Amino acid sequence: QVQLVESGGGLVQAGGSLGLSCAASGSIFSIRVMGWFRQAPGKQRELVATITRGANTDYADSVKGRFTISRDNAKNTVYLQMNSLKPEDTAVYYCNADHITKSGSTRNYWGQGTQVTVSS
């Protein structure tokens, strides 16, 4: 089992910045992809950004140029730096990890979510 614990959410004014972090712990063999998703009230959960173990990144068009995802493989931690925040970025942000066991089986894990609120 792998546990993901997020931190860093909060309230910020439009144009401001916030940083999120997510640390994985437990029986970790290898985590291939880590990422951030978000879900606003009344909307479906959507991809924000992902990063592979080799640091290849992918971003939703809505956050390109404003958000930066990074990871520390030694600490099994992924980060999301959010700049130039907009009210439409308000959502619960969820960490996600794609874990591979020593035997090669894969399982996807989610964090509990952290609230990000951007006021106008």
Side-chain angles (χ1 to χ4, degrees):
Q1 282 281 51
V2 175
Q3 295 79 42
L4 301 177
V5 178
E6 300 120 333
S7 60
L11 173 65
V12 65
Q13 287 190 330
S17 299
L18 272 178
L20 305 180
S21 64
C22 170
S25 63
S27 302
I28 297 172
F29 178 69
S30 180
I31 298 177
R32 292 187 303 183
V33 181
M34 299 188 81
W36 292 94
F37 290 71
R38 66 187 181 186
Q39 188 166 18
K43 294 188 177 182
Q44 289 189 331
R45 192 173 296 188
E46 63 176 6
L47 170 71
V48 175
T50 60
I51 184 167
T52 68
R53 190 168 182 84
N56 292 313
T57 59
D58 188 30
Y59 294 92
D61 287 343
S62 59
V63 306
K64 282 181 181 176
R66 301 188 297 122
F67 290 11
T68 301
I69 189 170
S70 61
R71 70 187 277 179
D72 184 331
N73 291 330
K75 295 181 179 180
N76 291 309
T77 300
V78 63
Y79 307 94
L80 185 69
Q81 179 61 39
M82 304 181 291
N83 299 327
S84 302
L85 282 160
K86 305 175 181 180
E88 50 263 44
D89 294 318
T90 295
V92 177
Y93 284 69
Y94 295 92
C95 176
N96 181 271
D98 193 29
H99 179 254
I100 298 178
T101 67
K102 192 174 182 179
S103 63
S105 62
T106 62
R107 183 172 174 179
N108 195 255
Y109 292 90
W110 291 94
Q112 79 284 358
T114 185
Q115 178 70 45
V116 171
T117 302
V118 184
S119 62
S120 57

